[in-house]
């Protein structure tokens, strides 16, 4: 019975209030009086942040409250009825809109009910999915912070007609649904009174600044760490043996892999002059890999110099072969380490070679001179004469045998000279190969240090 009585009074109140009411005019008794509208914004969820198009999509609850001078009643006359809920299109509503809206849809606000109190206070809660323009600064992507403004104000009423008052000093974040990509660090509200060039009257607005911090874990594991791991492969190209034929191929493959990651970042970033931090890292790494590939090609040419090349300059022998090879632990070509046993074997081999060469010299030196040849001829003639007592024909046979022996000695000397020249040319090629190997180790450590410091700098931004 009580509920029926209240329902009867509510119908009676509604008919009496809206009998001569018009929602087209500002509900004030004095037209010179300012109507105050209290605005409160509750952020429920961030739907999307489109960095490329610089648009923030958010789900908001917009609460507006004001006093209507023509919608008041004495609650005692209506059995203590102090509030009713009616459709919002029946009452006058302020035309407060989002100034920096970036949506093609200009439809009317959601037609939810309003709460009307006996003293004329109207409270209108309406949900809204807003798309607002946001200036995105991606200089420190993926460790960036963004500030997006939501500016609300009346579209047609100036400050002398409708004034906007902040309900709170900031937006309400009590019902915010945690976002997977962004952290909310605050939503302060500031009231501004602006005089535009078109009109002399002031126009107030309330600007809510949404402070966002990007959660960078996703980008670290999907864009940054793979790039760091790939970039550490570039210095290893210098450690790869030159005869493998894969040194240049490794550098080109790493460069192509980084290019793919660079294109992935470029697709999600706006085409602005500010290059993101991860983009700078990619460019620096790609430049380093390009330089390493170019140096690899130059070192490959040194490695394959061969016997026709000029000898290694004296300064290169001193600086590279004597000092740098010891600093970077580079031994002879084909060796990885030395041991006392191997050193002794090398000494024995060298001593054996020296002994053989000295014996060859001893044999070759007396036989190569003409005097010794003549002496040898005389000795041979004397021996033949003593042994066989032969003259004439025997002497001719001995002379022919001696000339054949001299020809044999010349051929042996020619072969020895060829072998000696071959060893000298081979030693020259080995020196160039060792120079190339030392330079490989030098640049390998240089590029390892560069990659390490670049990785420390990019990860330091995350901290």
């Amino acid at each position: 019975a009580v509920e029926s009585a209240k329902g009867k009074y509510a119908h009676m109140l509604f008919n009496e209030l809206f009998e001569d009411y018009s929602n087209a005019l500002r509900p004030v008794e004095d037209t010179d009086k300012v109507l105050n509208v209290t605005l409160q914004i509750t952020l429920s969820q961030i739907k999307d942040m489109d960095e490329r198009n610089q648009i923030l999509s958010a789900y908001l609850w917009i609460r507006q409250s004001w006093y209507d001078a023509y919608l008041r009643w004495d609650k005692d006359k209506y059995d203590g009825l102090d509030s009713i809920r009616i459709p919002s299109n029946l009452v006058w509503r302020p035309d407060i809109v989002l100034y920096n809206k970036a949506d093609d849809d200009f439809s009317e606000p959601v037609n939810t009910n309003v709460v009307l109190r006996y003293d004329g206070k109207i409270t209108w809660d309406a949900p809204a999915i807003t798309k607002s323009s946001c200036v995105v600064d991606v200089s420190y992507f993926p460790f960036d912070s963004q500030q997006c403004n939501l500016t609300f104000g009346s579209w047609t009423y100036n400050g002398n007609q409708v004034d906007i008052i902040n309900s709170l000093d900031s937006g309400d974040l009590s019902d915010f649904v945690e976002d997977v990509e962004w952290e909310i660090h605050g939503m302060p509200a500031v009231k501004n009174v602006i005089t535009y060039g078109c009109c002399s009257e002031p126009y107030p607005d309330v600007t809510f600044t949404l402070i966002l911090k990007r959660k960078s874990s996703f980008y670290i594991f999907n864009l940054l760490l793979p790039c760091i791991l790939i970039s550490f492969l570039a210095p290893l190209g210098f450690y790869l043996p030159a005869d493998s034929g894969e040194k240049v191929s490794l550098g080109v493959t790493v460069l192509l892999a980084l290019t793919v990651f660079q294109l992935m970042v470029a697709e999600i970033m706006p085409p602005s002059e500010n290059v993101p931090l991860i983009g700078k890292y990619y460019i620096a790494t790609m430049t380093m890999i390009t330089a390493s590939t170019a140096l690899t090609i130059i070192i490959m040419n040194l490695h394959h110099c061969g016997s026709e090349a000029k000898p290694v300059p004296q300064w290169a022998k001193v600086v590279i072969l004597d000092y740098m090879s010891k600093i970077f632990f580079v031994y002879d070509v084909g060796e990885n380490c030395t041991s006392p046993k191997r050193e002794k074997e090398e000494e024995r081999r060298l001593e054996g070679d020296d002994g053989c060469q000295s014996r060859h010299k001893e044999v070759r030196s007396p036989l190569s001179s003409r005097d010794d040849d003549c002496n040898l001829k005389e000795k041979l003639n004397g021996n033949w004469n003593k042994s066989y007592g032969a003259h004439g024909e025997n002497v001719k046979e001995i002379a022919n045998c001696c000339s054949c022996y001299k020809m044999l000695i010349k051929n042996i000397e020619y072969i020895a000279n060829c072998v000696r020249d071959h060893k000298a040319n081979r030693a020259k090629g080995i020196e160039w190969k060792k120079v190339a190997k030392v330079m490989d180790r030098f640049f390998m450590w240089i590029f390892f240090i560069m990659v390490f410091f670049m990785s420390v700098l990019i990860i330091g931004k995350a901290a």
Side-chain angles (χ1 to χ4, degrees):
V2 173
E3 292 295 333
S4 300
K6 287 187 177 181
K8 181 182 70 174
Y9 284 114
H11 282 83
M12 185 188 304
L13 175 63
F14 179 79
N15 293 329
E16 291 180 0
L17 286 176
F18 291 95
E19 183 177 0
D20 297 325
Y21 181 80
S22 174
N23 60 358
L25 299 176
R26 192 165 54 98
V28 290
E29 296 176 350
D30 186 1
T31 55
D32 295 334
K33 187 178 180 181
V34 178
L35 179 63
N36 295 324
V37 177
T38 303
L39 180 66
Q40 178 182 340
I41 299 296
T42 300
L43 178 63
S44 177
Q45 184 181 1
I46 295 177
K47 296 183 67 64
D48 183 36
M49 168 65 88
D50 189 354
E51 290 93 348
R52 188 170 186 83
N53 296 316
Q54 302 189 75
I55 295 176
L56 171 66
S57 299
Y59 181 46
L60 305 176
W61 298 345
I62 304 175
R63 168 172 287 190
Q64 304 175 53
S65 60
W66 65 94
Y67 285 90
D68 194 320
Y70 301 107
L71 296 178
R72 299 175 181 174
W73 70 90
D74 186 2
K75 61 179 180 178
D76 295 333
K77 290 177 58 177
Y78 297 95
D79 195 23
L81 187 63
D82 59 351
S83 63
I84 58 174
R85 286 159 178 81
I86 56 176
S88 60
N89 59 350
L90 298 179
V91 300
W92 177 89
R93 295 176 302 186
D95 57 345
I96 294 178
V97 297
L98 180 64
Y99 280 177
N100 57 333
K101 188 175 182 180
D103 192 5
D104 296 335
D105 186 12
F106 290 96
S107 60
E108 294 292 328
V110 179
N111 193 19
T112 57
N113 290 340
V114 297
V115 179
L116 176 60
R117 288 178 55 85
Y118 69 94
D119 56 354
K121 183 179 180 180
I122 298 177
T123 303
W124 181 27
D125 286 329
I129 297 177
T130 61
K131 291 185 178 181
S132 59
S133 59
C134 177
V135 179
V136 179
D137 184 11
V138 293
S139 300
Y140 294 97
F141 175 85
F143 313 111
D144 56 330
S145 298
Q146 305 296 335
Q147 294 186 0
C148 296
N149 295 330
L150 299 172
T151 303
F152 292 91
S154 176
W155 191 254
T156 58
Y157 294 104
N158 57 52
N160 298 325
Q161 297 170 331
V162 174
D163 190 16
I164 303 177
I165 300 174
N166 295 344
S167 175
L168 300 171
D169 293 335
S170 63
D172 186 8
L173 301 175
S174 58
D175 296 320
F176 178 71
V177 178
E178 194 71 23
D179 191 72
V180 295
E181 185 179 0
W182 297 95
E183 295 178 356
I184 304 297
H185 287 185
M187 193 178 178
V190 178
K191 180 181 177 180
N192 304 304
V193 179
I194 302 175
T195 302
Y196 296 97
C198 64
C199 314
S200 59
E201 298 84 2
Y203 282 83
D205 64 64
V206 176
T207 300
F208 295 87
T209 303
L210 189 60
I211 302 175
L212 304 174
K213 172 67 176 177
R214 191 189 301 272
K215 296 178 180 178
S216 56
S217 301
F218 173 81
Y219 299 98
I220 289 176
F221 285 99
N222 291 277
L223 292 179
L224 193 56
L225 282 183
C227 175
I228 293 175
L229 295 177
I230 290 173
S231 62
F232 272 101
L233 291 177
L236 292 177
F238 292 106
Y239 192 76
L240 201 65
D243 295 330
S244 65
E246 298 293 334
K247 293 171 71 72
V248 179
S249 300
L250 178 63
V252 173
T253 304
V254 173
L255 187 62
L256 291 176
L258 289 178
T259 304
V260 173
F261 283 100
Q262 175 69 18
L263 293 176
M264 291 175 60
V265 174
E267 287 180 357
I268 61 177
M269 292 293 101
S272 62
E273 294 183 355
N274 296 329
V275 181
L277 182 65
I278 191 171
K280 294 178 181 178
Y281 178 74
Y282 285 161
I283 294 298
T285 306
M286 292 168 67
T287 304
M288 183 194 67
I289 294 173
T290 304
S292 68
T293 306
L295 289 172
T296 300
I297 295 172
I298 296 173
I299 294 173
M300 289 285 287
N301 287 329
L302 293 178
H303 179 82
H304 295 285
C305 276
S307 60
E308 297 180 357
K310 295 181 179 180
V312 178
Q314 186 62 31
W315 66 268
K317 290 182 179 180
V318 175
V319 176
I320 298 177
L321 298 182
D322 293 342
Y323 293 100
M324 293 180 64
S325 61
K326 295 178 182 178
I327 294 174
F328 297 105
F329 302 101
V330 177
Y331 309 103
D332 291 340
V333 177
E335 294 184 5
N336 293 326
C337 58
T338 57
S339 61
K341 183 178 180 181
R342 176 168 294 188
E343 290 177 356
K344 291 179 181 178
E345 292 177 355
E346 287 290 327
E347 291 177 358
R348 290 173 186 171
R349 185 176 63 82
L350 292 175
E351 289 176 358
D353 293 343
D354 293 340
C356 292
Q357 290 177 1
S358 62
R359 284 195 296 272
H360 284 305
K361 289 180 181 178
E362 291 175 357
V363 171
R364 185 169 59 245
S365 58
L367 295 178
S368 59
S369 62
R370 292 184 177 179
D371 296 337
D372 292 338
D373 288 342
C374 294
N375 294 331
L376 180 63
K377 182 178 178 181
E378 293 176 356
K379 290 179 181 180
L380 288 174
N381 290 332
N383 291 332
W384 276 94
N385 290 329
K386 289 179 181 180
S387 301
Y388 301 102
H391 299 285
E393 294 180 358
N394 293 333
V395 173
K396 292 181 180 180
E397 291 178 359
I398 295 171
N400 293 332
C401 182
C402 184
S403 62
C404 292
Y405 190 65
K406 289 175 62 179
M407 185 64 66
L408 180 62
I409 292 174
K410 287 184 179 180
N411 292 335
I412 293 174
E413 288 182 351
Y414 176 77
I415 294 172
N417 292 331
C418 290
V419 172
R420 193 182 305 111
D421 294 339
H422 176 72
K423 287 183 178 181
N425 293 332
R426 184 172 176 271
K428 189 193 308 180
I430 290 175
E431 283 187 344
W432 279 115
K433 287 183 179 181
K434 189 173 182 180
V435 169
K437 190 173 181 181
V438 173
M439 297 308 296
D440 267 337
R441 295 292 175 85
F442 172 73
F443 286 115
M444 182 188 73
W445 287 112
I446 291 295
F447 280 88
F448 260 127
I449 294 172
M450 291 174 62
V451 172
F452 176 75
F453 278 105
M454 287 169 57
S455 302
V456 168
L457 288 176
I458 192 71
I459 294 176
K461 292 293 183 180

